[in-house]
Amino acid sequence: MKHLKLFTIEGLPLMWSLYFLFESITGRVTDSETVIANLLLIILFAFTGYIVYVLSLRNLNGIPLKILFLFFSILILVDQGIKLVIKFFFFNERFEIFPNILSFHPIINTDGSWLNARFGTSVSFPLLIFSNIIFLFLIVELFRYFVSNGNKTFWSDMAFVFLFCGALGSLIDKVFYGGSLDFIGISNLFIADIKDIYINLGLYFFLLGSYSSGYLTSDDSSSFKDDMKYLKKFLLFMKTDLTHLLKR
């Protein structure tokens, strides 16, 4: 599709730039080192986008399910395996990898979500766990719905696997650690973990998938009525799935 290559390369830099602009406006960026570091990150993200575009050309019709499952397993093992090692052997370690830019700083984030940590929204832990489970179910159902309608693509596969891994990692953290075991310190902005990277990549792939399918283009001629019809079809599909699941 026209401009897809450009959007793929620019997607991650744009997402990060919007976040960095928000933090700058709210007064959390106060030194030139942070600005320079984030400019370097934008370049790195653009290069990552180019690699993603090359991979997408080689897998236009999606990735075989066996390989997708293997990829999913590796992502979960990387996220949770690193956390287990940190928890048992390095939890009390603190050091800077790149001074004032990137650090190793393990914590248990008991806020449970970025919204709670950043804005103090005080969403309860049980509600966060419940929403986590619902989100996992919706991701699976959306992916199954896409595949059943012949829309299996590289973008849908990547969006599914990264969003599902991120959400599952978040649920595991809440249940077993009482919060998120974060350890990647980015300047003075936040401390994140690998599942946060997964979730952001999942959103990136979801947006690219929506664009490549024509949903975000100006020539999309579907009306609100059409959108409601598609939503109704998805809800019916999900209801049928739930019915079959409960009958087992």
Side-chain angles (χ1 to χ4, degrees), residues 42-231:
I42 288 172
I43 295 173
L44 175 62
F45 290 152
F47 178 72
T48 303
Y50 175 76
I51 298 299
V52 167
Y53 180 73
V54 172
L55 290 174
S56 72
L57 294 179
R58 298 178 181 178
N59 300 276
L60 291 175
N61 296 319
I63 298 171
L65 288 178
K66 287 184 178 179
I67 296 178
L68 200 63
F69 179 76
L70 177 62
F71 185 45
F72 159 79
S73 302
I74 291 172
L75 291 178
I76 287 294
L77 285 173
V78 168
D79 177 49
Q80 294 301 314
I82 288 176
K83 287 178 179 177
L84 282 174
V85 172
I86 291 173
K87 178 64 176 176
F88 287 107
F89 301 105
F90 301 102
F91 190 74
N92 295 316
E93 298 291 330
R94 305 284 188 277
F95 58 85
E96 291 191 334
I97 301 171
F98 298 107
N100 301 317
I101 298 173
L102 181 65
S103 63
F104 178 79
H105 191 139
I107 63 168
I108 299 295
N109 178 4
T110 56
D111 289 313
S113 75
W114 181 75
L115 288 175
N116 277 356
R118 185 66 178 83
F119 300 105
T121 50
S122 301
V123 179
S124 68
F125 226 69
L127 182 57
L128 287 172
I129 291 176
F130 177 73
S131 62
N132 236 147
I133 295 171
I134 295 297
F135 187 59
L136 282 167
F137 175 74
L138 286 175
I139 293 172
V140 172
E141 288 301 300
L142 274 171
F143 181 69
R144 282 173 43 76
Y145 182 70
F146 266 79
V147 172
S148 69
N149 284 279
N151 293 320
K152 189 177 186 301
T153 65
F154 172 80
W155 308 111
S156 64
D157 286 354
M158 290 294 96
F160 165 71
V161 76
F162 277 108
L163 285 173
F164 191 84
C165 284
L168 182 59
S170 179
L171 180 61
I172 292 171
D173 284 0
K174 290 182 179 71
V175 172
F176 289 98
Y177 296 113
S180 177
L181 200 167
D182 296 334
F183 57 92
I184 306 170
I186 304 296
S187 187
N188 65 335
L189 299 178
F190 58 82
I191 302 175
D193 66 350
I194 294 175
K195 79 165 186 311
D196 294 324
I197 298 174
Y198 293 168
I199 292 171
N200 281 282
L201 283 173
L203 292 173
Y204 163 71
F205 284 117
F206 178 79
L207 290 172
L208 286 172
S210 298
Y211 175 78
S212 66
S213 300
Y215 293 118
L216 300 180
T217 57
S218 58
D219 57 350
D220 181 12
S221 58
S222 64
S223 64
F224 179 75
K225 185 177 180 180
D226 292 330
D227 293 337
M228 289 298 100
K229 183 172 67 175
Y230 295 142
L231 177 60

